[in-house]
Structure formats: C-alpha cells, structure tokens
C-alpha cells in the first residue's frame, strides 16, 4: 500500500500554489510599504515559551500543541503560532537595543492538534506581523489599516474588520469579576470547556460557539463599559484615526481572542463564507508579553492571518500561469532551431514551451492549447529556408511573420 500524508497535513500542489505565491507576494509588497522587514523564526521552540506566553488555560496550550521530548530529553514544541517566537527572538538578540520599535513580519507553517475540517488543519500556514515599542494608538490604527489594505489589494470584499478593547491589568480584573457574577447563575448553560474555565478564563465563554454559551452570555456586561480612563482614551483615539483614513470597522464587544497575552485593542478579520472558520486574520495588542518573556518593558501589537483561509476566499480567482510562447517544429533540423530559440528566449526572460520529443503538429498544438500559451510559432523546412516564421497571437487570432531570431521574437511577445 502506498504511503499517504499524515492526517491534517496537506500538500499544496501546482495549480493551487500559484494562489499562495500571490498571497505571499502581495503581503510582502504591502507590508514593505509600511516599513516592515521579514524575520524567519525556527519551527521548534522550547515548550515553556508557549506555556508562558499563550497561557496555560487556553485551547492551544491545553490541547492543541505538538509537544514531545527530543533525544536529549528536552521538552520541545512545534510552534502553534508566531508571536511568542518573534518576541523570543526580539529579546534574545536584543533588537530593542538598536531601536525599541521593531516592525516585523513572518510567514510559514504552524502546528496545532485540532480536528481537521475545511479551513482547519493540523499543519496550517500563517502570515503574521509584530510591531513593538509604541503605546500610541497611531500604531494600532496603522496595523489595522495595513491589514485592510492587504485584503483590498487582493481584490476581496470580505473579510471585514471587527475591533474591541480588552483593557489592561488595571481594568480587566474588574470586568472579569463582573462577568463571573453575571455568569454565576447561568453556569449550567455553559459547555463543559467554559464551565471548567469559569475560574481561570471566564471571558472565553463570550466567543464560544456552543449554543448554551451563546444563550448564557446574552446580555452579559461589555468590557467597553469597564475600561479605565487610559484604555478608554486609547480605544477612542484608535477609532478616530481609523475614521480619519477611512478604514472601515465594526465594534464587536464579544470578541475576546483565545490567547492570554492580549491587552487593549483586539481585532479580527471575519468572513461569512467559511462557516465556523470565520476568522481569517486575528490579533491585538500585547503590552505585557515582552516583559513576561524576560525582555524589557515594551508594548507590542500584531496579527496573524491563516493563509489556507485567505486562499479559500480567493477560490474563484484564476491563477494558472501561462507561457509567453509555444514553439512547434517539424523535423529534426527545425527541432534544433526551436530548441536554441527557446533557450535564448528563456535567458532573455520570456517563458517558452516546446515538446520534448518529435511529435505530429496536431499533437504539438494540443499541448500548446493545454498550456494556453499567449503566442505560438511554427517552424518547418520552409521557415528555416526563408529565415522567418508565422507568430500567432492566440487571443487576437492575428498572425505576423517574424525573423527567426530571439531578439525579434522577444520584442513581439513582450509587446502584446
Ligand atoms: P479559530 O477561532 O478559528 O480557532 P484562533 O483564534 O485559534 O482561530 P489564532 O490563533 O488567532 O486563531 O490564529 C490566527 C489565524 O490563523 C486564524 O484567524 C485562522 O485564519 C488561522 N488558523 C488558526 N488555526 C488554524 C487551523 N487549525 N487551520 C487553519 N488555519 C488556522
Ligand atoms: Mg483555534
């Protein structure tokens, strides 16, 4: 029996991969407009890093991590997300010494032991952004605007931006208590997970998808009513800046995010097109995380988007690559000429195809159709003798005689 891939681990095949490359290319281009640089972080980290940053009472740490002991009996984990690693690197290499403001992005695979379904896999891919060192709401607004810009650039109407504020260590405990009192008389309605985390992480009930939790949290107090003066001001100014530059958003007071390190501004890019997998990108501020990981007392903000989910939103778009030119040939002498022309043109920067073996003209034209080449050139004995051949523009249906030289052909195919 042939060996198959591990459940929840996917291949990204040619045909699909072009979409991924387009997403990655667009992300790099847009993020660099906003001054970000790429950082590449390892896939394996000490397990402790994620326990300390993400939080013990979160879905990720409680049940989703790919953790094991290596041969040296070190407890390691295949990264379930990027923020902890980027901040670990920021601290380890003292990037803050040169400039407390680091503006970084990363892309790559993440690993979580979840139930595989559409838009949810065990190896999935994120493109993420982290900005450190700025408390001012200008950076919140910029990150959100950049994220919206990225999706607009992909030509998508969905997802749309939702924002909330989770307050800070001063005001959140007050809200936690208020929410706990509210939920106390409704504990029976909560799902098993939320019942269990009532003490450790009661906020999770607000964005739990189980029917009981939705019912139990109806009419729950809103974090926004409990923000301290500073957090309230920070949130108002963030909204003001988004309004100023026309970045559209909606406020979602129930958005709490699943990771412990978030403070103040939190946000999600949500879609209605992927069922329960509605968050395409998510993030927020983490003003305590860097110090928590042993670094300086610096604030941070970031997000990560799921590339698989972005790719699903782009499902309708056509990404197939097409060569500039297909060269058909008749006879061995013409094959040599065609092969030389193809190679010269590729060296100049045109994408060119021809058959690897001598085939009938009919069969070669079928192959050309399959490639959907923009131009075709047919070379036989007569063409060799006159030193020119007909170059057909496939879309226009027009045909022109060109010299059998790479320069002349290049000029024609790159013109159209
Ligand atoms: P969800 O609520 O869908 O589980 P999450 O809150 O766990 O998402 P984050 O940890 O914030 O997600 O990760 C950011 C993004 O990464 C998500 O918005 C989503 O697009 C993507 N993502 C998270 N988990 C998976 C997964 N198992 N498979 C595919 N994409 C994922
Ligand atoms: Mg999750």
């Amino acid at each position: 029996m042939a060996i198959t891939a591990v459940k929840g681990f996917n291949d990204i095949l040619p045909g699909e991969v072009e979409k991924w490359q387009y997403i990655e290319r667009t992300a790099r281009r847009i993020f660099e407009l906003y001054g970000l640089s790429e950082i590449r972080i390892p896939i394996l980290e000490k397990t402790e890093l994620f326990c300390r940053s993400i939080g013990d009472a979160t879905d990720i740490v409680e049940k989703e991590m790919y953790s094991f002991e290596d041969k040296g009996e070190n407890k390691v984990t295949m990264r379930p997300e990027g923020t902890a690693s980027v901040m670990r690197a920021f601290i380890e290499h003292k990037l803050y010494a040169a400039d407390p403001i680091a503006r970084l992005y990363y892309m790559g695979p993440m690993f979580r032991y979840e139930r595989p379904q559409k838009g949810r896999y065990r190896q999935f891919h994120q493109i993420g952004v982290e900005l450190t060192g700025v408390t001012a709401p200008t950076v919140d607004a910029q990150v959100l605007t950049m994220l919206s810009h990225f999706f607009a650039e992909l030509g998508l109407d969905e997802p749309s931006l939702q924002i909330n504020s989770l307050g800070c260590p001063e005001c959140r405990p007050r809200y936690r208590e208020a929410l706990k009192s509210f939920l106390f008389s409704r504990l029976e309605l909560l799902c098993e997970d939320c019942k269990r985390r009532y003490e450790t992480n009661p906020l999770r009930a607000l964005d739990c998808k189980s029917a009981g939790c939705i019912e139990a949290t109806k009419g729950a107090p809103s974090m926004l009513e409990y923000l301290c003066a500073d957090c309230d001001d920070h949130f108002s100014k963030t909204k003001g800046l988004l309004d100023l530059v026309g970045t559209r958003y909606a406020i979602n007071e129930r958005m709490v995010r699943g990771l412990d390190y978030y403070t103040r501004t939190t946000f999600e890019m949500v879609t209605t097109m992927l069922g329960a997998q509605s968050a395409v990108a998510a993030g927020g501020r983490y003003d305590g995380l860097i110090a928590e990981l042993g670094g300086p007392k610096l604030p941070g903000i970031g997000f990560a988007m799921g590339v698989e989910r972005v790719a699903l939103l782009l499902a309708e778009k056509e990404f197939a690559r097409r060569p500039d030119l297909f060269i058909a040939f008749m006879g061995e002498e013409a094959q040599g000429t065609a092969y030389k022309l193809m190679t010269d043109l590729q060296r100049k920067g045109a994408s060119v195809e021809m058959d690897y073996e001598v085939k009938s003209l009919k069969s070669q034209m079928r192959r050309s159709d399959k490639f959907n080449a923009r131009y075709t050139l047919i070379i036989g004995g007569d063409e060799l003798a006159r030193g020119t051949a007909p170059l057909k523009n496939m879309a226009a249906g027009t045909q022109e005689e060109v010299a059998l030289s790479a320069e002349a052909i290049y000029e024609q195919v790159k013109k159209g």
Side-chain angles (χ1 to χ4, degrees), residues 175-191 193-208 212-221 254 256:
Y175 174 65
R176 239 175 93 111
E177 287 316 308
L179 183 65
K180 278 175 72 179
S181 329
F182 175 86
L183 291 176
F184 188 72
S185 58
R186 301 156 193 248
L187 271 179
E188 280 317 303
L189 288 171
L190 297 183
C191 73
D193 276 345
C194 289
K195 224 178 266 169
R196 187 171 42 76
R197 358 181 232 224
Y198 170 76
E199 288 296 339
T200 52
N201 201 349
L203 272 64
R204 289 296 293 170
L206 289 174
D207 75 347
C208 180
C213 294
I214 292 171
E215 182 58 33
T217 55
K218 265 191 194 141
R254 299 172 64 93
V256 299

Side-chain angles (χ1 to χ4, degrees), residues 2 12 20 41 44 170 173 332 347 397:
I12 302 145
W20 285 60
I41 44 182
L44 208 67
E170 196 198 313
E332 253 174 61
R347 287 178 174 150

Side-chain angles (χ1 to χ4, degrees), residues 79-339:
R79 62 181 191 200
E81 59 113 43
T83 305
S85 304
V86 174
M87 289 307 121
R88 196 256 319 126
F90 174 74
I91 297 164
E92 186 172 342
H93 303 291
K94 298 193 173 55
L95 299 187
Y96 52 85
D99 188 351
I101 303 180
R103 300 183 292 184
L104 304 166
Y105 72 86
Y106 59 85
M107 39 183 80
M110 304 293 161
F111 305 86
R112 296 186 195 175
Y113 196 83
E114 298 199 71
R115 195 169 63 78
Q117 55 198 287
K118 184 178 179 190
R120 193 176 294 285
Y121 313 99
R122 290 181 173 171
Q123 173 175 327
F124 64 101
H125 297 76
Q126 286 187 337
I127 299 178
V129 161
E130 314 293 348
L131 278 93
T132 64
V134 188
T135 303
T138 41
V139 77
D140 303 59
Q142 190 177 38
V143 165
L144 293 174
T145 297
M146 182 177 77
L147 183 57
S148 303
H149 185 172
F150 166 79
F151 282 107
E153 197 68 21
L154 291 183
L156 293 171
D157 307 326
E158 290 226 36
S160 60
L161 176 62
Q162 295 190 350
I163 63 171
N164 192 20
S165 175
L166 288 182
C168 67
E170 196 198 313
C171 51
R172 189 157 7 145
R174 280 208 305 273
Y175 174 65
R176 239 175 93 111
E177 287 316 308
L179 183 65
K180 278 175 72 179
S181 329
F182 175 86
L183 291 176
F184 188 72
S185 58
R186 301 156 193 248
L187 271 179
E188 280 317 303
L189 288 171
L190 297 183
C191 73
E192 286 312 309
D193 276 345
C194 289
K195 224 178 266 169
R196 187 171 42 76
R197 358 181 232 224
Y198 170 76
E199 288 296 339
T200 52
N201 201 349
L203 272 64
R204 289 296 293 170
L206 289 174
D207 75 347
C208 180
K209 276 140 199 156
S210 87
C213 294
I214 292 171
E215 182 58 33
T217 55
K218 265 191 194 141
S222 157
M223 178 70 228
L224 295 179
E225 288 156 22
Y226 285 78
L227 294 179
C228 61
D230 283 352
C231 287
D232 191 46
D233 182 57
H234 189 274
F235 194 52
S236 312
K237 287 188 171 139
T238 301
K239 289 184 291 182
L241 287 162
L242 293 174
D243 294 336
L244 176 71
V245 297
T247 299
R248 280 201 298 251
Y249 61 90
I251 293 172
N252 176 358
E253 298 159 307
R254 299 172 64 93
M255 184 206 307
V256 299
R257 311 290 310 115
L259 294 71
D260 276 2
Y261 52 61
Y262 286 120
T263 53
R264 291 195 168 169
T265 315
T266 48
F267 51 93
E268 285 185 355
M269 277 284 188
V270 296
T271 176
T272 52
M273 288 154 71
L274 302 176
Q277 279 56 257
S278 58
V280 179
R285 225 176 221 287
Y286 43 84
D287 290 347
L289 178 64
I290 299 172
E292 178 65 33
L293 290 174
K297 211 170 164 301
L298 286 173
I301 181 168
F303 64 78
M305 69 177 95
V307 181
E308 283 81 359
R309 295 187 194 175
V310 180
L312 284 167
L313 292 183
L314 287 172
E316 306 303 313
K317 291 211 174 185
E318 191 52 62
F319 287 93
R321 264 201 334 239
R322 45 192 306 209
D324 294 318
L325 174 68
F326 185 92
I327 308 178
F329 58 91
M330 283 169 292
E332 253 174 61
E333 200 191 341
Q335 184 182 22
T337 304
Y339 187 69

